[in-house]
Amino acid sequence: MGRVTERRRVIRVRNGATAIRPDTLVAEEPLEIRLNGKPLAITMRTPGDDFALAVGFLVSEGVLGSAADVRAVTYCEGATEDGSNTYNVVNVQLAPGVAVPDITLERNVYTTSSCGLCGKASLDAVRTATRFPLRRGADDTVRIPVELLGELPDRLRAAQKVFDRTGGLHAAGLFSPQGELLDLREDVGRHNAVDKIVGRALQAGLLPLAGAVLLVSSRASFELAQKAVMAGIPVLAAVSAPSSLAVDLALESGLTLVGFLRGPDMNIYAGEERITW
């Protein structure tokens, strides 16, 4: 199986002096996701947690809602000359009786590690397709102190072991409202890191993640807001900016959306009722 990191030769220049040495880089390989044996999407990812990535992707596409929807997840044989498995093709077989739905958000195309969806049609599709509508009003008990929220980026960064070695990975962290780090995944693609978080939650029978805070070490694109809503996550925070469509989705769905989260400083774009002062 592909490794998370690889070594490459580099000429390092420091203060005018040069040295040739090996450098540790994050690995990036394609992953083809198949549904019931049929190709669905290809994404560039960091190898590891591939099964979680595949099922997490299918949660965000509205295909899966629980572990019971999945009969099996397996690697398929890759296309190598010697017939060895590349571990770059994963097939998700649905459980008996689970129909393949009309996947209104499906890509069926090659996607890069920074891909995203856009458009009013996608916004409408997320609102109508989620199995886990976010709680509002008296049913919503998630509250997080603003001071604690400001501490989460440092807690996320401290747990990024592969980033320490490569400096080239996005991270997604799942926190409790009390600031406990529940899970963390790193990947060359920020959307892959979130899919791995959501997929692991589905495999553990934890969906919806109605009492969780999702923090991403990147901007908050529409796609990441989509994945949070589809998994029932009420709070999405990012260290960088959100997109306009991400804000629109947050306002329509009831998602708390925080951007530019850097210590005590942040912008709250939607769902401010879940943040306490």
Side-chain angles (χ1 to χ4, degrees):
M1 186 183 298
R3 296 178 297 177
V4 174
T5 61
E6 296 184 5
R7 303 280 278 176
R8 294 290 188 274
R9 173 183 177 275
V10 63
I11 301 175
R12 177 169 291 182
V13 181
R14 297 290 186 273
N15 297 319
T18 62
I20 299 176
R21 55 173 295 174
D23 193 26
T24 301
L25 304 177
V26 59
E28 183 177 24
E29 296 181 10
L31 179 70
E32 178 182 331
I33 300 173
R34 297 178 182 175
L35 180 61
N36 288 352
K38 296 182 179 180
L40 179 65
I42 298 175
T43 186
M44 300 302 297
R45 99 301 190 190
T46 301
D49 291 312
D50 291 334
F51 290 179
L53 169 57
V55 298
F57 173 84
L58 291 173
V59 170
S60 68
E61 300 297 311
V63 179
L64 302 177
S66 72
D69 293 336
V70 180
R71 179 179 182 180
V73 186
T74 56
Y75 283 110
C76 303
E77 291 185 3
T80 60
E81 293 184 0
D82 62 2
S84 61
N85 199 326
T86 64
Y87 295 98
N88 284 336
V89 182
V90 168
N91 180 58
V92 179
Q93 191 73 30
L94 297 181
V98 177
V100 179
D102 178 19
I103 308 171
T104 56
L105 300 181
E106 72 174 319
R107 299 179 185 87
N108 280 326
V109 294
Y110 166 84
T111 63
T112 71
S113 55
S114 59
C115 70
L117 302 173
C118 61
K120 184 63 177 176
S122 295
L123 191 68
D124 291 339
V126 174
R127 185 177 62 250
T128 59
T130 182
R131 304 186 188 196
F132 310 117
L134 298 178
R135 298 172 182 172
R136 303 196 192 196
D139 293 333
D140 179 19
T141 60
V142 174
R143 297 293 182 269
I144 181 169
V146 66
E147 297 86 358
L148 178 58
L149 188 59
E151 296 173 3
L152 298 189
D154 286 342
R155 298 185 185 187
L156 181 71
R157 176 64 186 85
Q160 288 184 250
K161 303 304 182 183
V162 183
F163 184 90
D164 287 339
R165 299 162 58 193
T166 65
L169 280 172
H170 290 293
L174 195 69
F175 291 86
S176 72
Q178 294 74 42
E180 177 188 1
L181 181 59
L182 304 174
D183 199 4
L184 177 140
R185 298 295 103 186
E186 295 178 279
D187 198 279
V188 70
R190 59 180 180 270
H191 62 292
N192 292 334
V194 173
D195 280 340
K196 290 177 179 180
I197 289 277
V198 173
R200 284 163 58 88
L202 178 133
Q203 292 171 326
L206 299 177
L207 291 187
L209 292 166
V213 176
L214 178 64
L215 174 63
V216 294
S217 63
S218 62
R219 65 184 180 89
S221 64
F222 168 79
E223 186 178 28
L224 297 192
Q226 165 211 344
K227 293 179 184 298
V229 171
M230 294 296 283
I233 299 172
V235 181
L236 171 62
V239 300
S240 191
S243 68
S244 62
L245 202 62
V247 175
D248 291 345
L249 176 57
L251 291 170
E252 290 202 21
S253 64
L255 175 71
T256 296
L257 180 60
V258 177
F260 295 107
L261 179 59
R262 299 165 187 176
D265 301 327
M266 66 193 75
N267 290 350
I268 304 171
Y269 293 90
E272 61 272 13
E273 66 275 5
R274 293 192 181 94
I275 300 174
T276 61
W277 276 263

